[in-house]
Amino acid sequence: MDDLKEKYLGQIAEATDENALEAVRLAAVGKKGEVALKMRELGKMTPEERQVAGPALNALKDEINSALAAKKAALGDAALDERLRSEWLDVTLPTRPRGQGSIHPISQASEELTAIFAEMGFSVAEGPRVDTDWYNFDALNIPGHHPARAEMDTFYMHRAEGDDRPPHVLRTHTSPVQIRSMEKMGAPLRIICPGGVYRADYDQTHTPMFHQVEGLALDENISMANLKWVLEEFVKSFFEVESVDLRFRASHFPFTEPSAEVDIRCSWDNGQLKIGEGDDWMEILGSGMVHPKVIAAGGIDPEKYQGFAFGIGIDRLAMLKYGIPDLRAFFDSDLRWLRHYGFSCLDVPTLHGGLSR
Ligand code: PHE
């Protein structure tokens, strides 16, 4: 029995992992292990012999079992120590500065203007960029023969041969969302819709895809004065200044009557665009009192409700606010440009926190 004890305690001490230890356990105290075989021999012994051998075998079994348990715990600790030694991470290291994207100035401007209009009680509406010509034109009081259709440099979608339904268009403005919002929500109504629009045009201040934010307010008692106040308030908040030099110009849109376009004073000295100084004016929006035919096309009674609408060029607002002289660069995906003009993704624009710090 002393031999057995010495043999197995030695093997336990030498086991270097849990598999080896399990093999020792099976050979020693498993069901068919050496100690179990010895126990079976107890039956053939005389009662006197059994009285000595029985307790001794049990004691041996206990001793081996506790040596196994102790070794198992030690192996576990060693494995944990090894993992702690090899798997570590310095959480105080700085992050990689280049691994971070930035917010595009148009996204930034959209977030900023949404925060401002939300404060004035406007909610955000949406509509499709590919729309029917009814929503883009007819419902907005622009019938088929109207020159405005040609003026807008519309992109028409292709129709299969023999399909003579009128073509879909890439929306030329966000105004179709006026109609969709009236249909969906009725009156009274106060919405804005920021989004992409398309016209075949290309120079320093025009790109074939650009962005507008539509605004529409309908109620029983809305006047042109409300429109002017909302626009002035918006422009001051957006440019984060006490006053801005604005020019309201009488204009014409088929879907508003009367209509006004608004320009902001700016200068373009040496390719630098600056707001609020100089002798140049940049047109940033069209607006007016919604035409009764448009209100009726939206399914609302124009005898009861009237209101104002506007469409502001988001890209131009961003050019003016951040001093970016060429609109085309917005869509070049030039990483150096994006890093220079981009905004931190963690600075969410709010009125209380500051729009564009
Ligand atoms: N939809 C017009 C445009 O794109 C802007 C506008 C919107 C004018 C709403 C008046 C009212 O030019």
Side-chain angles (χ1 to χ4, degrees):
M1 235 181 266
D2 282 343
D3 288 349
L4 277 186
K5 177 173 159 181
E6 203 174 307
K7 173 174 157 195
Y8 286 118
L9 290 188
Q11 286 183 7
I12 289 169
E14 275 158 31
T16 52
D17 59 40
E18 292 204 8
N19 287 342
L21 197 62
E22 178 63 7
V24 180
R25 187 188 71 81
L26 288 174
V29 295
K31 265 194 194 139
K32 291 175 183 165
E34 221 167 339
V35 176
L37 294 178
K38 286 265 175 273
M39 295 246 185
R40 257 177 244 162
E41 287 171 19
L42 289 173
K44 295 180 220 148
M45 293 179 186
T46 65
E48 291 76 23
E49 283 173 324
R50 204 182 300 143
Q51 236 163 26
V52 182
L57 270 174
N58 272 328
L60 174 64
K61 192 176 166 190
D62 287 348
E63 199 169 348
I64 291 176
N65 270 330
S66 51
L68 282 167
K71 181 70 180 187
K72 188 166 181 180
L75 282 177
D77 285 350
L80 183 60
D81 283 346
E82 180 51 33
R83 280 186 61 191
L84 288 175
R85 231 191 327 277
S86 61
E87 296 175 14
W88 62 278
L89 179 73
D90 184 351
V91 293
T92 67
L93 280 176
T95 56
R96 280 175 299 161
R98 281 286 179 241
Q100 208 177 42
S102 60
I103 301 294
H104 194 283
I106 291 174
S107 302
Q108 174 75 18
S110 302
E111 291 293 326
E112 292 179 19
L113 61 87
T114 300
I116 296 167
F117 282 117
E119 196 83 356
M120 295 199 253
F122 289 78
S123 54
V124 175
E126 284 187 321
R129 292 192 184 205
V130 178
D131 214 337
T132 62
D133 62 354
W134 188 81
Y135 279 107
N136 195 78
F137 294 123
D138 301 73
L140 292 163
N141 195 30
I142 314 176
H145 55 80
H146 198 283
R149 292 210 184 192
E151 273 163 31
M152 285 232 184
D153 304 306
T154 311
F155 288 113
Y156 288 89
M157 304 297 286
H158 181 71
R159 275 254 187 259
E161 194 128 350
D163 185 343
D164 33 312
R165 288 173 299 165
H168 280 79
V169 299
L170 291 181
R171 68 178 179 196
T172 57
H173 48 185
T174 42
S175 300
V177 184
Q178 288 188 30
I179 306 294
R180 292 180 176 278
S181 302
M182 287 189 257
E183 286 176 340
K184 237 182 264 163
M185 292 176 264
L189 183 67
R190 224 184 283 179
I191 56 107
I192 57 164
C193 168
V197 300
Y198 302 82
R199 287 179 208 177
D201 209 350
Y202 192 66
D203 62 33
Q204 192 172 353
T205 52
H206 296 86
T207 49
M209 189 276 309
F210 60 106
H211 299 84
Q212 290 188 332
V213 56
E214 193 77 10
L216 173 65
L218 291 181
D219 213 326
E220 291 182 46
N221 237 319
I222 291 190
S223 74
M224 193 94 182
N226 300 127
L227 167 65
K228 199 168 178 219
W229 183 84
V230 164
L231 290 176
E232 281 172 348
E233 241 8 72
F234 163 72
V235 170
K236 280 189 284 179
S237 302
F238 182 81
F239 289 104
E240 300 176 70
V241 289
E242 289 298 317
S243 74
V244 189
D245 227 353
L246 289 184
R247 189 169 74 174
F248 280 77
R249 249 184 315 112
S251 182
H252 174 263
F253 298 102
F255 32 93
T256 48
E257 179 61 35
S259 306
E261 283 179 296
V262 177
D263 309 328
I264 288 191
R265 185 186 289 284
C266 66
S267 67
W268 294 89
D269 288 344
N270 310 319
Q272 290 274 86
L273 175 60
K274 289 214 183 90
I275 178 181
E277 56 181 63
D279 299 324
D280 271 319
W281 295 92
M282 173 136 69
E283 181 201 319
I284 54 158
L285 67 89
S287 65
M289 298 304 290
V290 184
H291 196 291
K293 281 191 179 172
V294 174
I295 297 180
I300 293 172
D301 179 4
E303 299 288 332
K304 186 164 178 212
Y305 290 100
Q306 73 287 150
F308 63 77
F310 54 81
I312 310 177
I314 298 180
D315 319 66
R316 292 194 175 177
L317 288 183
M319 289 173 75
L320 285 163
K321 181 162 183 180
Y322 309 124
I324 307 173
D326 197 317
L327 178 60
R328 292 167 291 199
F330 279 71
F331 310 114
D332 282 345
S333 300
D334 181 334
L335 270 182
R336 289 164 306 174
W337 188 94
L338 291 168
R339 280 181 192 133
H340 181 77
Y341 288 111
F343 289 80
S344 162
C345 49
L346 297 176
D347 287 341
V348 179
T350 60
L351 292 189
H352 54 274
L355 289 175
S356 61
R357 275 178 316 158

